[in-house]
């Protein structure tokens, strides 16, 4: 399956749960946090982890011919990027002629995962690949992964994948291969409903002998809109501020500045660190229009340009994982409440090579983007 959701909704936490479950069932876990790398680096990352996987499946001394073969395939897979053979140091393996040496990522990755799957099956064990930030896979890498998994399913080999990433990924995988839709489930996770958000705050407090006044809980749910990471930060700050055993609405009001400055300084701020002036202006223009997905043309209009002129900026922001496209022609923030942050961080919209302009206060709903609950 591939879990999708906005920033801070608990995707990585969930992958951690899958990890524990898989290990408890005696499976071997391969974890990879994907970064934007070319195919060469992707090959090296995957191969070095699969080498560890082989060793975790069975100690070297007990390796049967399936394992030797898998190591040889691994050697072929990395031959073009690791001529010195650093990945097979201490393990004698000649490249396996005809396997994973096609020079095509899809064919090569399929050969490699099939060989690992056969090794796993020979010792009655399974392998789960846990890929986080999967939206950063380049299109050919994602295609290769999907095709390889398809082959593993056909061969009934005990290798499976749980990926997690921004909502963008569902569309990407859909484009990559039409059968991805049948191969994967795409559960979307989002904010907690009111009842769960209350429980997330109340239950840990109760375990410590504390309680919440109703108005305090109402306000907390409203403020966080049920986003897990916000609940975590608000609860944490609140615990430091409140003095009595009942957390009151007054405690909550006193906590808000602490909570906001913590989020601004970390969760939100890091997203802007690598953004150019033009990218910032784009984000600020979007924020002025509100939290909902915005049309490219509307954002461009705020900046006094044509949407084609801003196409590259928009594409860069999507590529950086700051925006995603919930539907064609629209873009939305991947970070909940990012619109509110941008308005705080950049009270005045200044356009590179343009005159600063004050935008009118925005209208409309202030809750998070329309997104799967
Ligand atoms: N089930 C949960 N129990 C407790 N805390 C949670 C849970 N889910 C999320 N959180 C809180 O939210 C934070 C963010 O969760 P996580 O890192 O898994 O989000 P994410 O979806 O992977 O975000 P990103 O897209 O930024 O990587 C956690 O560090 C934790 O504070
Ligand atoms: Mg994460």
């Amino acid at each position: 399956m591939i879990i999708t959701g906005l920033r801070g909704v608990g995707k990585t936490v969930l992958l951690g749960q899958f990890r524990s479950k898989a290990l408890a069932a005696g499976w071997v876990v391969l974890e990879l946090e994907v970064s934007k790398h070319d195919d060469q680096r992707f090959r090296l990352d995957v191969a070095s982890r699969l080498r560890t996987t082989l060793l975790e499946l069975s100690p070297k001394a007990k390796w049967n011919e399936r394992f030797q073969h898998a190591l040889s395939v691994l050697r072929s897979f990395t031959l073009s990027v690791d001529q010195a053979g650093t990945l097979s140091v201490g393990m004698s393996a000649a490249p396996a002629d005809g396997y994973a040496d096609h020079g095509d990522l899809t064919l090569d990755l399929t050969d490699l995962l099939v060989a690992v799957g056969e090794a796993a099956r020979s010792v009655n064990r399974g392998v789960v690949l846990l890929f986080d930030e999967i939206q950063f896979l380049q299109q050919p890498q994602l295609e290769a992964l999907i095709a390889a998994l398809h082959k593993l399913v056909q061969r009934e080999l005990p290798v499976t994948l749980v990926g997690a990433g921004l909502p963008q990924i569902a569309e990407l995988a859909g484009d990559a291969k039409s059968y991805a839709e049948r191969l994967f489930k795409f559960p979307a996770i989002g904010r907690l409903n009111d009842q769960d958000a209350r429980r997330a705050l109340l239950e840990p407090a109760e375990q410590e002998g504390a309680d919440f006044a109703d108005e305090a809980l109402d306000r907390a749910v409203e403020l966080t809109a049920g986003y897990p990471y916000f609940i975590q930060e608000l609860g944490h700050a609140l615990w430091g501020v409140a003095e009595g055993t009942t957390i009151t609405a007054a405690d909550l009001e006193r906590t808000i500045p602490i909570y906001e400055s913590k989020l601004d300084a970390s969760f939100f701020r890091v997203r802007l660190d690598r953004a150019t002036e033009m990218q910032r202006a784009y984000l600020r223009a979007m924020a002025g229009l509100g939290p909902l997905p915005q049309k490219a043309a509307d954002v461009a209009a705020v900046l006094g340009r044509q949407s084609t002129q801003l196409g590259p900026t928009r594409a860069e922001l999507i590529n950086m994982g700051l925006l995603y496209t919930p539907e064609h022609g629209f873009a939305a923030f991947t970070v909940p409440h990012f619109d509110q942050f941008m308005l705080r961080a950049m009270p005045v919209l200044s356009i590179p090579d343009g005159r600063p302009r004050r935008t009118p206060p925005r209208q409309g709903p202030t809750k998070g983007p329309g997104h799967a609950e």
Side-chain angles (χ1 to χ4, degrees):
M1 70 170 72
I2 296 182
I3 303 162
T4 65
L6 300 183
R7 292 282 174 207
V9 292
K11 301 182 295 294
T12 302
V13 168
L14 259 182
L15 285 184
Q17 295 287 317
F18 281 114
R19 177 177 185 276
S20 310
K21 289 195 173 189
L23 292 176
W27 282 48
V28 171
V29 171
L30 182 161
E31 287 178 289
L32 180 69
E33 184 177 328
V34 177
S35 7
K36 258 188 251 260
H37 285 316
D38 58 18
D39 288 357
Q40 303 218 328
R41 179 64 196 280
F42 177 70
R43 276 184 190 249
L44 278 177
D45 278 357
V46 169
S48 77
R49 289 196 173 61
L50 281 172
R51 176 182 175 278
T52 308
T53 300
L54 287 173
L55 290 165
E56 286 177 355
L57 279 167
S58 169
K60 181 87 190 351
K62 290 195 186 167
W63 276 14
N64 59 32
E65 70 283 5
R66 287 282 170 216
F67 281 80
Q68 289 296 346
H69 174 70
L71 188 67
S72 296
V73 176
L74 201 140
R75 181 87 178 91
S76 304
F77 185 77
T78 49
L79 205 54
S80 59
V81 284
D82 175 37
Q83 263 144 18
T86 39
L87 277 174
S88 46
V89 164
M91 303 190 169
S92 53
D97 284 341
Y99 290 93
D101 58 4
H102 312 285
D104 174 273
L105 189 60
T106 297
L107 296 176
D108 293 354
L109 188 64
T110 302
D111 283 352
L112 179 57
L113 283 176
V114 164
V116 171
E118 284 173 342
R121 183 163 66 186
S122 74
V123 292
N124 290 317
R125 297 190 71 187
V127 177
V128 58
L129 314 174
L130 298 179
F131 282 19
D132 204 356
E133 303 287 349
I134 202 164
Q135 77 280 352
F136 288 140
L137 284 180
Q138 312 282 323
Q139 186 85 12
Q141 297 164 357
L142 183 66
E143 272 178 17
L145 187 62
I146 292 169
L149 285 161
H150 189 233
K151 181 64 81 182
L152 289 160
V153 170
Q154 284 179 334
R155 300 256 182 110
E156 298 185 335
L157 291 169
V159 181
T160 193
L161 169 99
V162 182
L166 296 173
Q168 190 72 12
I169 189 69
E171 188 183 301
L172 198 60
D175 291 347
K177 286 278 179 248
S178 57
Y179 51 66
E181 302 266 291
R182 277 175 282 140
L183 196 56
F184 297 116
K185 288 185 204 129
F186 287 97
I189 61 171
R191 52 185 176 212
L192 303 180
N193 63 33
D194 277 18
Q195 199 193 345
D196 288 343
R198 282 162 183 277
R199 286 182 51 208
L201 287 160
L202 192 55
E203 286 179 10
E206 283 177 343
Q207 281 163 21
E208 302 294 329
D211 194 9
F212 272 83
D214 279 346
E215 319 87 87
L217 265 189
D218 289 344
R219 184 80 176 99
V221 171
E222 181 189 36
L223 205 63
T224 59
Y227 282 107
Y229 179 64
F230 296 159
I231 293 176
Q232 173 88 39
E233 287 296 352
L234 182 65
H236 178 76
L238 203 46
W239 196 255
V241 167
E243 280 166 4
T245 50
T246 296
I247 296 166
T248 64
D251 292 330
L252 198 119
E253 292 309 318
R254 281 191 292 141
T255 305
I256 293 175
I258 303 172
Y259 160 76
E260 281 189 344
S261 68
K262 168 75 196 291
L263 290 180
D264 283 3
S266 55
F267 188 66
F268 292 125
R269 175 66 55 189
V270 292
R271 321 286 166 183
L272 277 189
D273 280 353
R274 282 171 306 120
T276 64
E277 242 190 302
M278 194 59 223
Q279 290 165 353
R280 283 168 204 237
Y282 196 93
L283 295 170
R284 175 59 179 77
M286 257 185 80
L289 294 170
L292 299 175
Q294 303 298 337
K295 265 199 208 131
D298 293 347
V299 183
V302 174
L303 293 167
R305 313 209 175 175
Q306 299 295 318
S307 59
T308 47
Q309 289 175 289
L310 288 167
T313 306
R314 187 171 175 274
E316 286 153 20
L317 289 165
I318 292 172
N319 208 14
M320 289 160 80
L322 278 160
L323 299 181
Y324 73 104
T325 51
E327 56 182 303
H328 188 72
F330 284 78
F333 294 114
T334 59
V335 180
H337 297 180
F338 202 72
D339 57 308
Q340 296 168 26
F341 165 71
M342 282 309 298
L343 296 179
R344 284 197 293 275
M346 247 174 112
V348 178
L349 167 60
S350 67
I351 304 171
D353 314 320
R355 279 180 294 118
R357 45 195 270 187
R358 206 172 271 280
T359 49
R362 68 159 202 249
Q363 310 285 315
T366 52
K367 281 219 167 169
H371 164 70
E373 300 283 322

